[in-house]
Amino acid sequence: MSLFPNYMRQEVTFVKGDGALLWDDTGKTYLDFGSGIGVTNLGHCHPKMTNALLEQANHLWHVSNLFPIPLQIEVADMLCEYSGLGAAFFCNSGAEANEAAIKLARKWANEVKEISNPEIITFEGSFHGRTLATLTATGQNKVKTGFDPLPQGFRTTSLQNIRALKQMTNPQTAGILLELVQGEGGVQPASFAFMHDLADWCQEKDILLMVDEVQTGIGRTGEIFAFQHYGIQPDVVTVAKGLGNGFPIGAMIAKDKLKPVMGPGTHGTTFGGNPLAMAVAKAVLTEINKHGLLQEAKKKGAFLLDRLTEELANFSISEDIRGLGLMVGIKLTKPVLPIIESLLKNGLVTLPAGEKVLRLLPPLVVTFDQIEQAVSLIKAVLTSTSMKVHLG
C-alpha cells in the first residue's frame, strides 16, 4: 500500500451514509456515533448541504483571495452574528484555525502590548492540532514525541485550577487557549466556576481568552458555540469540523479590537474560504438555526446521558459518564480500544478519548430510537466485557 502508516485503521470500509447511518462495502448498516470525529453534525449527505455544494460546483470552484469572494462576507457575517464577535478569517482545518489564533495573539502582543517574547498558556489534556505550533500547544506529550525541536512560547497548566493558572501568568502572557470540553483529553468539560474566574482574570490582566471550538462548535453541545453555555465572551474562537459537515473548512473569529492586527500580507491561505467551502458553510449555518434543532440536540444529549447513567449504574467497568450536549464520554476501568472494536462488529461506530474513555459524538439529527439502540449495544458489549474480566 502506497500510504504512510500514520493511521490505525479499522477493517471496515464505509461506502454510503444517510443521517446517522453508515453502510460498508458488504451492505452492513451501522449507527454512527462518531460523526467522522465530530464533523457530520447535521448527518451524512444532508440534502441542503449536498444541493448547496452541487449548485456552487456548477458556477465556480476556486478563485484566489486576491479577489473578493462574496460568500465569505455572508458566512463571516453569520459567524459574527452568532458569536458576538467582529471579524472572521477562513482556512481549511481546525489546526489551521488554531495556528491563525496563535499568530494573532503573538502579533497583538508584539505590536499592541509591546511584549517581546509572548507566551500562550494551555492546559493538560488539551488537543489543538498537528502542526508544530498546535501540537506544542497541546497538553499531551504523546503527540510531541519525535518532533523536537518544538517552538517556544507555550506553557501548560492543569484545567480547573485557577490558582495554578494565576501563578503561571506573567508579563509575557499574551493569551490563554483552551477547549471548553476537552475531546481527545477524555471528554472533560471545564467547570462553570473555573471559566468565570478565568474570563475575569483575562479581562483584569488584558490577556486574550481564546476558545478552541473545533470540536464543540456548530451545535455539538446544543448551542452554536459551547462558550454560550457558560455566559462568557471570548476574544478569539476557532471552529472547523461541523462548519463544513464534512467539507474541509476552518475559521478563526475574533473581537473587533483585533481586526487591525491582521492587515494585508500578515497571514493567508490558498484554498481557505473558497466558494465551494463557503456555499456549504452558509447552508450549515442556515440549517443549524432552523426547526428547533439546537433545542432538540440539548434534549437528546440529556436523554443520552440519562439512559447511559441508568443502564450502566451497576457496571464496575464504568467509572464515570460525562459530557455536554451530544458530546459524551464514558470513563472505563480498562482500555477502550477492544470495546470500540466490539461495538463496531455489532454495528455501532464510536471513538476513543484517551486510553480509557469511550467517546460518543452522534449527529444532531440522531433520533431518540437510535439513541436507545446505541445504549443497548453499549450495555451489551460492556456486559460481555465485564463477564470476561470476572471470569479471568
Side-chain angles (χ1 to χ4, degrees), residues 28-178:
K28 181 177 178 179
T29 306
Y30 299 77
L31 255 180
D32 186 6
F33 270 52
S35 298
I37 316 183
V39 170
T40 52
N41 287 4
L42 294 175
H44 295 283
C45 298
H46 193 292
K48 295 290 179 62
M49 277 90 260
T50 300
N51 290 339
L53 182 61
L54 292 175
E55 182 178 349
Q56 184 60 48
N58 284 318
H59 291 284
L60 181 66
W61 286 31
H62 177 80
V63 291
S64 80
N65 280 296
L66 298 176
F67 299 92
I69 301 174
L71 276 170
Q72 279 191 14
I73 298 171
E74 291 187 55
V75 177
D77 286 347
M78 295 171 84
L79 286 172
C80 289
E81 177 187 350
Y82 299 153
S83 66
L85 298 173
F89 165 80
F90 294 107
C91 49
N92 309 287
S93 68
E96 287 179 68
N98 284 332
E99 188 87 17
I102 291 166
K103 288 182 68 175
L104 177 65
R106 287 188 174 188
K107 198 163 187 297
W108 173 77
N110 275 297
E111 296 183 356
V112 177
K113 296 194 71 178
E114 297 183 345
I115 298 174
S116 57
N117 293 294
E119 296 178 342
I120 293 172
I121 296 175
T122 64
F123 294 90
E124 296 167 3
S126 62
F127 182 85
H128 297 295
R130 297 283 187 174
T131 67
L132 280 175
T134 56
L135 71 83
T136 306
T138 292
Q140 301 184 57
N141 288 331
K142 66 181 181 181
V143 305
K144 305 177 187 184
T145 303
F147 297 110
D148 291 326
L150 298 175
Q152 297 182 349
F154 298 95
R155 306 177 78 195
T156 302
T157 188
S158 55
L159 191 67
Q160 322 289 25
N161 190 337
I162 192 65
R163 183 177 180 181
L165 173 79
K166 289 181 177 181
Q167 289 174 343
M168 182 169 282
T169 304
N170 61 46
Q172 304 299 113
T173 305
I176 296 172
L177 173 65
L178 80 161

Side-chain angles (χ1 to χ4, degrees), residues 21 31 346-348 368-378:
L21 298 176
L31 255 180
N346 283 276
L348 180 64
F368 287 96
D369 286 344
Q370 288 170 334
I371 291 173
E372 283 283 13
Q373 184 182 346
V375 171
S376 296
L377 288 168
I378 292 168

